[in-house]
Amino acid sequence: MLGARRHRLIWIAVASLAGWAIVRLPGLDGVTPLAPLMAFTPWVAGGSLLVLGVALASRNWAAGLVTGLAAAVLGLALLPRVVGAGEDVPEDAQTLTVLSANVYRGNADPDALVDLVERIDPDVLAVQELDPAFDRALQEAGIGALLPRKVVLLKLPSLPDPPNKQKRRPGIGVYSDLGLRPLPRRATTASSRLAVRLPSGDEIRLVNFHPLTPSLAYVDRWGETLRSLPSAGGDDPWLLVGDFNATLDQAEMRDVLDRGYRDAAETTGNGLEMTWPTVGLTPPLVAIDHVLADRRLGIAGFGVEDLPGSDHKAVWSRVFVRPGQTAH
């Protein structure tokens, strides 16, 4: 009886792993209820090795074969995230360092964020879940002396479909020591589009991005917002930064990359650095904070940093643009 029960449990686990791999490989999750689950693929890949060991120890060769195939599919999907390295910056290249921080509806420590700015020395700070009180606290903590220019959007639309007029979406803001020029944006999205002017006079177009989470109520809206992001190319390179509420294991996010971007964490071999959540006793489980660089941009480095008071880790990246890659 015990052997039959163990046999059934092994096959339930094997079938679950096989189904996961079948969904993940071609990207069948899309904007379905499966999309949130796919974010946990790295953990499932790790669990597949445990199931494989149990199947082999039980001499269940068929289960071991199926599990091995599923583990291989998931492992190959994750492999590019750990084998990269930062690129060398050419002598004639212009560089831009960007720091992105979700401040958890203004609950993060503003002094800690300013300390992080002093240490990382970014040219641009992109903040998500910004409220007026946190913007004021940042100014009091000295952000203006480090990054004197800013473009903030503190009033964003209420949550759509279904509407929630009592709960407005938290704002976003960009702080910089470089010139900022607002670009047209969709009024219904929690994002801003700016042109950042480099000291050379060249410009990089920046999106500070924060869509809804892919919950059952908003998964369609989440997918629509990801699809609204600009495709890379055109006159000046794009840089997309922020809390994407998406990982590289979700088809909608990979579709964004397929439109001409590279993920800075994956490119530098840091793609399995998890960024959320950072509250409670569990370690961060998913990597949803990103810097996506137009493929014309080089990526010199990427890092993940603790931010006290926030439920996210902050992320930063240093990118560079070679002469002739912008229209300005």
Side-chain angles (χ1 to χ4, degrees), residues 191-258:
S191 66
S192 60
R193 298 188 181 192
L194 305 169
V196 180
R197 183 168 290 273
L198 301 176
S200 64
D202 294 329
E203 286 188 341
I204 290 179
R205 293 171 293 181
L206 176 81
V207 177
N208 182 12
F209 188 59
H210 187 207
L212 296 170
T213 58
S215 62
L216 291 179
Y218 299 116
V219 66
D220 288 338
R221 179 63 176 158
W222 167 81
E224 177 187 343
T225 308
L226 284 168
R227 291 190 294 273
S228 75
L229 286 167
S231 297
D235 293 337
D236 297 319
W238 285 97
L239 195 63
L240 316 181
V241 303
D243 170 8
F244 283 65
N245 277 313
T247 79
L248 301 185
D249 290 301
Q250 294 166 308
E252 289 292 324
M253 184 65 169
R254 296 198 301 279
D255 286 346
V256 175
L257 293 175
D258 289 343

Side-chain angles (χ1 to χ4, degrees), residues 31-55:
V31 289
T32 71
L34 296 174
L37 293 177
M38 287 298 108
F40 297 95
T41 293
W43 301 99
V44 174
S48 69
L49 300 179
L50 176 62
V51 176
L52 177 61
V54 172

Side-chain angles (χ1 to χ4, degrees), residues 89-90 93-97 123 178 198-199 204 300 318-321:
V89 181
Q94 291 287 309
T95 64
L96 178 77
T97 300
D123 303 291
L178 301 174
L198 301 176
I204 290 179
R318 187 182 186 215
V319 303
F320 59 89
V321 55

Side-chain angles (χ1 to χ4, degrees), residues 230-293:
S231 297
D235 293 337
D236 297 319
W238 285 97
L239 195 63
L240 316 181
V241 303
D243 170 8
F244 283 65
N245 277 313
T247 79
L248 301 185
D249 290 301
Q250 294 166 308
E252 289 292 324
M253 184 65 169
R254 296 198 301 279
D255 286 346
V256 175
L257 293 175
D258 289 343
R259 301 208 307 269
Y261 293 98
R262 294 187 297 163
D263 180 79
E266 179 179 55
T267 301
T268 58
N270 297 291
L272 294 183
E273 289 276 0
M274 305 304 173
T275 65
W276 181 89
T278 59
V279 294
L281 299 178
T282 61
L285 298 174
V286 290
I288 58 177
D289 300 89
H290 300 275
V291 176
L292 304 187

